[in-house]
Amino acid sequence: MLEQMGIAARAASYRLALLSSREKNRVLESIADALEAQHEAILRANADDLADARAAGLSEAMLDRLALTPARLKAIADDVRQVCGLADPVGQVIDGGLLDSGLRLERRRVPLGVIGVIYEARPNVTVDVAALCLKTGNAAILRGGKETHRTNAAIVRVIQQALADGGLPAAAVQAIENPDRALVSEMLRMDKYIDMLIPRGGAGLHKLCREQSTIPVITGGIGVCHIFVDESADIIPALEVIVNAKTQRPSTCNTVETLLVHQGIAGRFLPALSQQMAQSGVTLHADEVALELLQAGPAKAVAVKAEEYDDEFLSLDLNVKMVADLDEAIAHIREHGTRHSDAILTREMRNADRFVNEVDASAVYVNASTRFTDGGQFGLGAEVAVSTQKLHARGPMGLEALTTYKWIGFGDNTIRA
Amino acid sequence: MLEQMGIAARAASYRLALLSSREKNRVLESIADALEAQHEAILRANADDLADARAAGLSEAMLDRLALTPARLKAIADDVRQVCGLADPVGQVIDGGLLDSGLRLERRRVPLGVIGVIYEARPNVTVDVAALCLKTGNAAILRGGKETHRTNAAIVRVIQQALADGGLPAAAVQAIENPDRALVSEMLRMDKYIDMLIPRGGAGLHKLCREQSTIPVITGGIGVCHIFVDESADIIPALEVIVNAKTQRPSTCNTVETLLVHQGIAGRFLPALSQQMAQSGVTLHADEVALELLQAGPAKAVAVKAEEYDDEFLSLDLNVKMVADLDEAIAHIREHGTRHSDAILTREMRNADRFVNEVDASAVYVNASTRFTDGGQFGLGAEVAVSTQKLHARGPMGLEALTTYKWIGFGDNTIRA
């Protein structure tokens, strides 16, 4: 069955690659309209998913993530309309020129072809990803979380109807509706039909894809992010950056998880940190030296466990480690970081420079919050994922990351000498 | 043992990433000089490899590929000196600007880190790859063919000595000297230490890497390339292009393997093709209809076997298939091509355009030879591999393909709103 989907997706991708931006925007508009017009079918499917999820004992917070309402569906449709307004990278001539051989060579941006996306139970991702793929002329094969498989199926049916109404192949957007996990393993080996695989989920999913996929995979989304508070940092603004990086949305991958504090500022900084963190409701997980300075409170402080340096809290918890100097901070990040986002707070230019050059991460910041690592914040217009690997795209991935290029050589029966 | 190499390579990569172009060129110059100065040790190791290879019954052609001479070693050293003259992509600011949030953001080109290369028995590749990696600030872990493992080891010792003499870590360039094949499987799973894997070899090696590697892999180098002779093609120049594409160097991946001939020109074209191919010593493998027109000779013509459409000949053999029209030609390429290089010979603009847009390959040509797909020909200065996948780099890969980028955000204690 999956092979049939692959064949159909590949065939659809050939059609999509030839569409103009205007044609693609027209179908996106009609998808947005259809999502609103057919909200009843989608909300009914969602209600069924929710009933199952409630029966399975999912938490209210989790249920809320799965739930659609007419207002949420409207917001999702509006997101699709916003994608219409973005610049289409397809067709752009990246570079080119006339070679000595007489060959006129250009490098032209083209769609990737077929993109596979595996994601957790979030109905909005189904629409988001479909819209970004269509905008860039790619076909998509989607595999959403099983908790919303009916919702996803209903959404994809609406999208497929809109595609068909627009004279385009419905197979441009397909969902694997069967929640059986074995299908994921099968999908990971469809290198003949899928050109790029984007897993959006936890560390386990990324590991599975890295190990089993024969398709090029974009891994990312896991962020053990650090802030190094240098000796020369300004304490009050430093605390503001830390509050932002830790508490603005603790469940995101660009949230700070570990604070590295220069020993020369620790005596002044840690008591102020504790005050601030108590206000922000953050629990500190401190190493032995830092804990001595923190245990008086007022913030709750506990001894850090070794493995906490390597995992995301995704909660109002923050490691605090005292370091002798910048070298020790960099060494810690190299050992425990996930190459996502790391920041230094300093007034010392030389240290800022060294941090930027020596920390190997998709985004490094000087006197700024790690929370900026985001397609919207970076001005990319949209974000399909955040890559922490180094090939193809690094950091927030916008529309351009859904394209590749093709070398085109024009000759007059030109041969190689 | 491999893990120790990985740790050392990672540490070395941190040092290399900080070097200026001048420092990198200085060490490359000293490597070139050392390769010449220490030719005796290298040639002695090569003689031992050759003796084993001869005893193992390798063909003279193969032995010639393995053999080094003082002149060949000089040429290899000169190639290293040429790499010094290339522009260094590292440090380039790709784009940047001031965001509304006040964050000053730039995207800066940086080395990938550690590059793993698996290649067949060609001593020059050891030097080439080491030089290109060093030029771009990357550490390299090399695994060459077992037939030249002593030569490779001797070359790497010379490189490491030159690195150490220049105050750089010898582990910047390491070779897996043990010819045991099990080490390749182990290398493929070193995702903690290797950032990109480049296999340079046959289809079997690429398949192994795609299936087993947990490291992002650049696959490529396999070329089942096509030329479509459209109805309106000029016959004499078309034959010149075909001779060039087939015979200039038949063992390369950008050599044409299959000719698709429009039925409207076949009656005039195929007899002329046979004349030309007889002169060039090419055997034609024709489908039923083409064979009828070709069997009169003078070129040798045999019936094509179905699997010959999917494999590289790498020899003076050429498939010839008659097609009804451009659609059938495109459909054939989509089914049998390897997305490497395909060409159309035509005078019809609309057909040229359709071919360029609808054939999915790293390089597509209009009235030009497929032999142009090459880093040197494309003006990239050097070529580390030819990628036929779509992520990161497509087609010939120059120095830029050995880099990634890092987002750098400068703020004044700037936070996300």
Side-chain angles (χ1 to χ4, degrees), chain B residues 246 250-252 255-257 282 285 312-318:
Chain B
K246 181 73 245 180
S251 66
T252 56
T255 292
V256 66
E257 307 291 359
V282 174
H285 300 240
E312 293 176 286
F313 284 119
L314 303 173
S315 59
L316 289 175
D317 292 84
L318 180 64

Side-chain angles (χ1 to χ4, degrees), chain A residues 10 112 195 210 244 339 356 359 362 364 366-367 369 371 390 394 404-407 409 411 413-414 416, chain B residues 10 112 195 244 339 356 359 362 364 366-367 369 371 390 394 404-407 409 411 413-414 416:
Chain A
R10 176 66 73 205
L112 276 166
D195 297 292
R210 198 162 48 234
N244 184 259
R339 300 173 166 184
V356 160
V359 168
S362 82
V364 285
V366 176
N367 297 327
S369 169
R371 285 278 297 138
K390 297 177 180 175
R394 200 176 189 199
T404 180
Y405 54 80
K406 183 189 264 188
W407 298 89
N413 298 302
T414 308
R416 178 167 167 181
Chain B
R10 177 65 73 206
L112 276 166
D195 296 293
N244 183 260
R339 298 174 167 183
V356 160
V359 168
S362 83
V364 286
V366 176
N367 297 326
S369 169
R371 285 277 297 137
K390 298 177 178 175
R394 200 176 188 198
T404 181
Y405 55 81
K406 182 189 265 188
W407 299 89
N413 297 302
T414 308
R416 179 167 167 181

Side-chain angles (χ1 to χ4, degrees), chain A residues 47-96:
Chain A
D48 289 346
D49 279 336
L50 278 176
D52 276 10
R54 188 166 282 119
L58 263 70
S59 68
E60 282 303 317
M62 187 67 180
L63 290 172
D64 184 61
R65 258 181 54 182
L66 313 184
L68 285 179
T69 61
R72 284 187 180 180
L73 203 50
K74 164 98 174 58
I76 290 172
D78 283 341
D79 283 346
V80 175
R81 293 185 182 105
Q82 215 178 346
V83 171
C84 294
L86 298 177
D88 179 0
V90 171
Q92 179 205 352
V93 176
I94 300 173
D95 46 30

Side-chain angles (χ1 to χ4, degrees), chain B residues 275-311:
Chain B
Q275 287 286 350
Q276 183 58 63
M277 291 299 112
Q279 272 181 40
S280 304
V282 174
T283 299
L284 301 171
H285 300 240
D287 73 338
E288 217 174 316
V289 253
L291 191 57
E292 252 177 62
L293 290 160
L294 288 167
Q295 60 197 1
K300 188 179 169 197
V302 298
V304 65
K305 299 189 196 95
E307 69 271 20
E308 289 176 334
Y309 288 136
D310 297 303
D311 292 327

